[in-house]
Amino acid sequence: HNGNNIERMRLNDGGLRLPSGYGINFSAHSNTGGMSSELLDDYEEGTWSPSPRFAGSGSGTSGSFNGAYVKIGQQVTLWLNCVFTDKGSFNSGDSLSWANVPFAAISNDHAGFMPGFIHRMQSSKQVAALVNASSFIDMKMCSTGSGGNSDNMVYDDVRDDTHFIFAMSYRTDT
């Protein structure tokens, strides 16, 4: 056995600890074309504080805004459970976004959005979302079957008692 390899791995209080820059290497398995890495070198889980923004401001909004996340390599999965008690005072067309996303998305990438429960919306459109490179979740509204483009979810689409529960996955390069 190579002593250097053994020294890099440490078993501490029931966990395997690897130094920075190392990870679990899966290169012994067969691969598909386009693969860029087989080293799992990052795992993190925690909570985040979603903060609603209309036209970039959260002034006057209140409610219960909670979130959790898991990051595995470049993949981030977020959960959000938010209930407005007051949506504040903004202009009718001000776009809704959520601030404080824990990791910035890769620029021009796509996110997977899984709405679980959306209660008391003013609009009958379907909801979609993406995480942009500025670490905001941009909420979108889509009409089903219309073939038109999506519009931003705006102040008038949300009520003082709107409730969002959703999860989404996206890629980060941090």
Side-chain angles (χ1 to χ4, degrees):
H1 293 270
N2 182 338
N4 288 337
N5 289 335
I6 292 172
E7 289 174 14
R8 291 182 183 140
M9 295 185 342
R10 299 267 189 244
L11 245 105
N12 297 343
D13 297 325
L16 178 63
R17 179 177 223 161
L18 301 172
S20 179
Y22 292 88
I24 301 171
N25 188 327
F26 292 98
S27 63
H29 302 283
S30 61
N31 307 305
T32 61
M35 181 273 310
S36 62
S37 177
E38 293 182 315
L39 185 68
L40 177 58
D41 61 354
D42 192 8
Y43 177 87
E44 182 177 331
E45 58 185 68
T47 60
W48 65 289
S49 300
S51 181
R53 299 283 191 258
F54 291 101
S57 173
S59 179
T61 60
S62 64
S64 172
F65 308 126
N66 300 296
Y69 71 90
V70 171
K71 180 179 184 291
I72 303 170
Q74 285 189 318
Q75 178 182 318
V76 179
T77 300
L78 302 177
W79 293 270
L80 177 140
N81 186 349
C82 296
V83 182
F84 281 91
T85 55
D86 188 338
K87 66 179 188 171
S89 296
F90 296 92
N91 295 319
S92 63
D94 288 348
S95 298
L96 171 63
S97 62
W98 295 92
N100 301 335
V101 173
F103 301 96
I106 292 176
S107 183
N108 299 318
D109 202 32
H110 295 87
F113 177 68
M114 300 154 279
F117 178 79
I118 299 173
H119 186 58
R120 298 193 183 271
M121 291 287 295
Q122 291 293 90
S123 174
S124 62
K125 294 181 179 181
Q126 300 296 313
V127 180
L130 63 93
V131 178
N132 66 38
S134 301
S135 298
F136 281 82
I137 298 173
D138 292 327
M139 299 299 291
K140 302 290 184 182
M141 302 293 285
C142 306
S143 296
T144 57
S146 70
N149 293 327
S150 61
D151 298 318
N152 289 332
M153 181 183 291
V154 296
Y155 179 76
D156 279 356
D157 294 322
V158 178
R159 295 174 26 161
D160 281 330
D161 58 354
T162 297
H163 186 179
F164 292 94
I165 299 175
F166 64 79
M168 65 187 309
S169 291
Y170 66 98
R171 291 187 325 139
T172 184
D173 55 10
T174 60

